[in-house]
């Protein structure tokens, strides 16, 4: 069994093996493009030597080189799609064929893992220091293979984000959702509204010890991405075929914005950037035109910065209390002939959806936004409750990304969500009939960071569970097997460790007996203690 994650669709092992130390040349068709230089960097890092890049048009290439890694684009390769590839390992070298540069990129990720396994004597073959000769035919089960990082509750810098993008690339994940705004901090520069950075990005202190704790650290916390930072993240991501989806939360989870501009609320404030977790009752006023103008102004700058065809506008956990007592909100309900506050949220949302559509973008939002009726053209992100609404959306041709709270919320400890629970998650709802399965775009795993105060904490909560998410999102169900997954895990974990990412060890990621019970009890405290 070769040690590759996500497990490829088809693996046909052949006689013989390739010595990875013989690899010396990357052979490419046509121009030396950016994928080839990145492929070179990845492979040089693993093989610990310099590789030369040679065009197949070169006379030298025609003389029959050995120790090659050949990358060739083949427009006629239909069955593996735009992200798939065919990889052949022979005694003389490795060849990767794909219809699209993305497929070549993923073939390179597989090659990295094969080479690392062989170099370290864990190739999974009879001669563990060699790569077994093999034919791999591979392509993803889902087009949306995502990870979300909450940079509001704790801010993480560009370097931390780039490191996570590197890990995503190794795992063939392709959607990075940046949760940029929330009650506890606004984390992106908006030129038209400078107070979002000067006021909204700073809080006085942070709650510690879990959701129910009254303790705090007494230390200010702040930070935001400049537009230059975002461009750097976008470039790093796009070189790895990862799309960055920005999220601007509305109408709830917006205390940081209200602290900056209290006139956007129902009551007028004043407000402080939140220092504790939980749902806050102050939300954007849905009855004031200036709120819509503000949010459109923010979205203008977001759309100008992020090329993503999808922009996330939140929509979860918006309490109705303020709207019920606000003359402006009630006047809006009356003038638009709405029945209640649920319909007011639907009205608010559809204005934003239409605004984004006018800019050529699709909206995405958490499942609560379906409650008062919702545009089927928007992408829904399912996390909890409202399954009926989501099924209805899918049956009417709407698209959804699945992020079930009890399976892929990576901020929960491993007693509550052990590795196997994440691995066994199937994003296709049981009640959804086959004709609608294609409307489920895929899986996304969020990492919320209320109690994740540094990057080490993020790493040990995210990994290895994100590795399981990656296999879930790529590998056909019939090829999935938890036992085999845990056997293959060490190769990827060691490669992540080279990137500076520490994973929770398997005995703690899949705790048993008393250890599991003790971790489970801790959910109510959402302890920020690290599993070590
Ligand atoms: C969420 O976890 N409130 C989307
Ligand atoms: Zn209001």
């Amino acid at each position: 069994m070769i040690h590759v994650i996500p497990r490829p669709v088809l693996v046909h092992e052949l006689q013989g093996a390739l010595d990875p130390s013989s690899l010396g040349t990357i052979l490419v068709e046509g121009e030396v493009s950016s994928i080839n230089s990145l492929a070179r960097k990845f492979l040089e890092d693993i093989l610990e030597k310099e590789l030369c890049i040679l065009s197949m048009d070169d006379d030298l290439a025609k003389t029959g080189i050995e120790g090659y890694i050949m990358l060739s684009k083949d427009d006629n390769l239909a069955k593996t799609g735009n992200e798939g590839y065919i990889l052949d390992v022979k005694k003389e070298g490795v060849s990767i064929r794909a219809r699209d540069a993305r497929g070549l990129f993923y073939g390179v990720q597989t090659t990295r893992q094969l080479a690392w396994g062989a170099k370290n004597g864990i190739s999974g073959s009879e001669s563990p220091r060699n790569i077994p000769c093999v034919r791999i035919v591979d392509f993803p089960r889902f087009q949306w293979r995502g990870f979300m990082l909450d940079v509001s509750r704790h801010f993480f810098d560009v370097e931390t984000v780039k490191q996570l993008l590197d890990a995503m690339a190794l795992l063939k994940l392709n959607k990075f959702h940046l949760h940029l705004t929330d009650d506890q901090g606004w984390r992106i520069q908006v030129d038209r509204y400078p107070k979002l950075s000067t006021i909204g990005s700073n809080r006085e202190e942070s709650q510690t010890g879990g959701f129910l704790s009254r303790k705090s650290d007494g230390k200010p916390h702040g930070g935001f991405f400049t537009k230059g930072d975002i461009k750097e993240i976008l470039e790093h991501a796009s070189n790895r075929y990862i799309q960055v989806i920005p999220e601007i939360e509305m109408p709830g989870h917006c205390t940081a914005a209200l602290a900056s501009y209290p006139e956007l609320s129902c009551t007028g404030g004043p407000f402080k950037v939140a220092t504790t977790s939980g749902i806050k009752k102050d939300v954007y006023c849905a009855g004031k035109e200036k709120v819509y103008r503000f949010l459109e102004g923010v979205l203008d700058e977001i759309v100008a910065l992020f090329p993503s065809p999808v922009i996330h506008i939140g929509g979860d956990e918006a309490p109705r209390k303020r709207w019920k007592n606000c003359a402006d909100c009630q006047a809006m309900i009356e003038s638009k002939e709405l029945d209640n506050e649920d319909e007011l949220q639907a009205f608010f949302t559809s204005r934003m959806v239409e605004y984004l559509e006018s800019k050529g973008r699709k909206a995405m939002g958490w499942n609560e936004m379906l409650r008062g009726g919702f545009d089927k053209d928007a992408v829904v992100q399912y996390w909890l409750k409202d399954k009926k609404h989501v099924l209805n959306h899918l049956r009417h041709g709407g698209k959804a990304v699945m992020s079930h709270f009890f399976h892929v919320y990576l901020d929960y400890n491993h007693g509550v969500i052990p590795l196997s629970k994440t691995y066994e998650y199937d994003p296709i709802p049981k009640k959804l009939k086959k004709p609608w399965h294609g409307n489920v775009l895929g899986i996304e795993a969020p990492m919320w960071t209320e109690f994740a105060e540094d990057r080490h904490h993020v790493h040990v909560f995210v990994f290895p569970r994100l590795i399981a998410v990656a296999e879930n999102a790529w590998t056909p169900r019939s090829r999935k097997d938890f036992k085999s997954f845990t056997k293959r895990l060490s190769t990827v974990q060691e490669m992540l460790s080279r990137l500076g990412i520490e994973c929770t060890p398997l005995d703690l990621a899949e705790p048993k007996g008393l250890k599991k019970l003790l971790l489970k009890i801790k959910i109510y405290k959402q302890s920020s203690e690290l599993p070590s």
Side-chain angles (χ1 to χ4, degrees):
M1 177 179 67
I2 56 161
H3 286 188
V4 174
I5 294 178
R7 192 179 202 180
V9 174
L10 195 144
V11 177
H12 185 50
E13 290 196 39
L14 303 160
Q15 289 294 318
L18 167 72
D19 176 0
S21 67
S22 74
L23 294 170
T25 307
I26 297 181
L27 269 180
V28 295
E29 234 173 9
E31 295 280 294
V32 176
S33 66
S34 62
I35 147 106
N36 303 327
S37 56
L38 197 59
R40 176 184 187 167
K41 200 168 140 253
F42 284 144
L43 294 163
E44 284 182 344
D45 175 58
I46 296 299
L47 298 168
E48 294 175 301
K49 66 170 171 188
E50 279 186 29
L51 298 173
C52 64
I53 294 194
L54 200 61
S55 164
M56 271 182 270
D57 302 330
D58 199 292
D59 286 342
L60 198 57
K62 292 182 185 128
T63 60
I65 284 185
E66 296 214 346
Y68 60 81
I69 298 165
M70 186 162 77
L71 303 176
S72 57
K73 251 166 120 173
D74 181 348
D75 293 337
N76 298 320
L77 210 64
K79 72 176 172 192
T80 47
N82 286 335
E83 293 188 298
Y85 61 92
I86 295 180
L87 187 150
D88 286 297
V89 179
K90 296 187 176 151
K91 284 187 197 132
E92 311 80 55
V94 177
S95 91
I96 305 167
R97 286 179 297 136
R99 188 164 75 183
D100 192 276
R102 280 172 285 175
L104 291 180
F105 183 81
Y106 292 138
V108 169
Q109 302 315 315
T110 300
T111 308
R112 279 171 89 188
Q113 293 188 20
L114 289 171
W116 171 265
K119 272 209 69 163
N120 293 282
I122 48 170
S123 75
S125 74
E126 278 168 23
S127 50
R129 296 208 167 266
N130 289 326
I131 305 175
C133 289
V134 69
R135 162 162 279 205
I136 294 174
V137 180
D138 204 14
F139 50 89
R141 179 179 178 201
F142 291 109
Q143 59 179 278
W144 194 291
R145 306 182 299 279
F147 168 60
M148 188 209 87
L149 183 66
D150 167 10
V151 293
S152 168
R153 275 54 176 271
H154 278 92
F155 180 65
F156 297 94
D157 63 9
V158 173
E159 285 313 309
T160 304
V161 169
K162 283 187 182 173
Q163 197 181 26
L164 290 164
L165 290 168
D166 290 344
M168 287 178 67
L170 178 66
L171 299 169
K172 305 186 177 93
L173 294 167
N174 66 351
K175 307 282 178 189
F176 177 57
H177 170 177
L178 253 183
H179 184 78
L180 286 164
T181 71
D182 213 302
D183 300 309
Q184 294 80 0
W186 184 284
R187 306 287 178 214
I188 183 159
Q189 174 189 354
V190 178
D191 297 329
R192 209 174 312 174
Y193 302 108
K195 285 197 234 167
L196 292 171
S197 326
T198 54
I199 295 174
S201 77
N202 294 298
R203 65 171 179 259
E204 287 173 356
E205 57 182 6
S206 307
Q207 182 183 15
T208 57
F211 288 124
L212 298 183
S213 155
R214 299 214 167 163
K215 283 188 278 181
S216 75
D217 63 3
K219 288 188 297 204
H221 180 81
F224 66 92
F225 293 123
T226 63
K227 291 193 172 170
D229 292 336
I230 294 289
K231 284 179 186 153
E232 206 177 320
I233 290 171
L234 286 169
E235 190 188 346
H236 199 82
S238 96
N239 286 339
R240 287 155 184 75
Y241 299 92
I242 297 169
Q243 203 175 66
V244 182
I245 295 99
E247 179 181 354
I248 304 295
E249 267 271 18
M250 59 188 85
H253 285 291
C254 62
T255 312
L258 299 184
S260 315
Y261 297 99
E263 63 273 25
L264 302 173
S265 69
C266 291
T267 64
F271 307 98
K272 283 205 306 197
V273 178
T275 56
T276 55
S277 60
I279 300 171
K280 311 297 176 194
K281 55 183 175 296
D282 286 291
V283 300
Y284 289 115
C285 177
K288 295 185 178 75
E289 275 307 314
K290 66 180 161 205
V291 170
Y292 296 93
R293 284 201 303 277
F294 165 82
L295 290 169
E296 286 166 8
V298 170
L299 290 177
D300 283 346
E301 294 191 28
I302 294 294
V303 163
L305 197 53
F306 291 87
S308 166
V310 178
I311 307 289
H312 204 300
I313 54 171
D316 59 318
E317 299 178 324
R320 309 301 189 211
K321 186 177 161 98
R322 293 296 190 229
W323 288 358
K324 280 190 200 290
N325 296 314
C326 169
D328 293 327
C329 285
Q330 292 306 314
M332 186 66 95
I333 287 179
E334 205 170 308
S335 73
K336 302 294 171 193
E337 298 179 2
L338 306 172
D339 277 349
N340 52 34
E341 287 72 24
D342 281 352
E343 288 195 7
L344 183 59
Q345 180 166 350
F347 166 79
F348 176 100
T349 304
S350 61
R351 273 187 68 161
M352 291 299 141
V353 172
E354 277 167 31
Y355 190 73
L356 285 171
E357 276 171 2
S358 77
K359 304 265 160 190
R361 307 297 175 96
K362 256 185 203 295
M364 178 164 180
W366 301 102
N367 55 253
E368 286 98 317
M369 57 160 58
L370 290 175
R371 280 185 195 169
F374 184 48
D375 200 319
K376 93 165 174 39
D377 290 333
V379 180
V380 165
Q381 184 163 18
Y382 176 68
W383 72 284
L384 191 69
K385 299 184 189 157
D386 295 350
K387 198 127 200 191
K388 265 192 193 151
H389 293 302
V390 176
L391 284 169
N392 193 37
H393 176 74
L394 289 165
R395 286 173 187 141
H396 285 85
K399 305 282 188 256
V401 172
M402 308 306 271
S403 301
H404 197 295
F405 181 81
F406 289 119
H407 294 273
V408 294
Y409 265 39
L410 304 179
D411 51 315
Y412 279 85
N413 75 48
H414 296 87
V416 180
I417 307 182
L419 181 63
S420 57
K421 190 155 181 188
T422 304
Y423 189 80
E424 274 142 26
Y425 178 47
D426 193 68
I428 304 280
K430 285 195 178 68
K431 288 190 176 154
L432 190 71
K433 293 219 169 88
K434 209 151 184 185
W436 313 120
H437 286 189
N439 292 336
V440 175
L441 299 180
I443 311 178
E444 185 179 297
M447 176 64 197
W448 301 101
T449 60
E450 284 93 336
F451 303 102
E453 52 299 277
D454 60 27
R455 85 159 87 164
H456 174 67
H457 185 132
V458 170
H459 292 165
V460 295
F461 274 73
V462 169
F463 299 100
R465 286 179 294 195
L466 189 63
I467 307 174
V469 170
E471 183 144 310
N472 244 349
W474 182 284
T475 305
R477 262 195 105 181
S478 59
R479 292 274 294 155
K480 277 181 54 194
D481 175 54
F482 186 61
K483 233 180 178 170
S484 144
F485 172 75
T486 54
K487 279 196 192 131
R488 286 176 279 123
L489 200 52
S490 62
T491 303
V492 170
Q493 281 184 319
E494 285 175 25
M495 291 178 80
L496 290 173
S497 164
R498 268 171 80 86
L499 296 174
I501 292 177
E502 194 191 328
C503 301
T504 290
L506 191 54
D507 62 331
L508 291 168
E510 190 61 23
K512 301 261 180 332
L514 188 61
K515 223 185 250 172
K516 181 167 179 173
L517 189 69
L518 288 174
L519 276 167
K520 232 176 178 164
I521 293 166
K522 270 210 242 166
I523 182 184
Y524 300 109
K525 290 203 293 159
Q526 185 62 5
S527 173
S528 56
E529 273 168 54
L530 302 182
S532 58

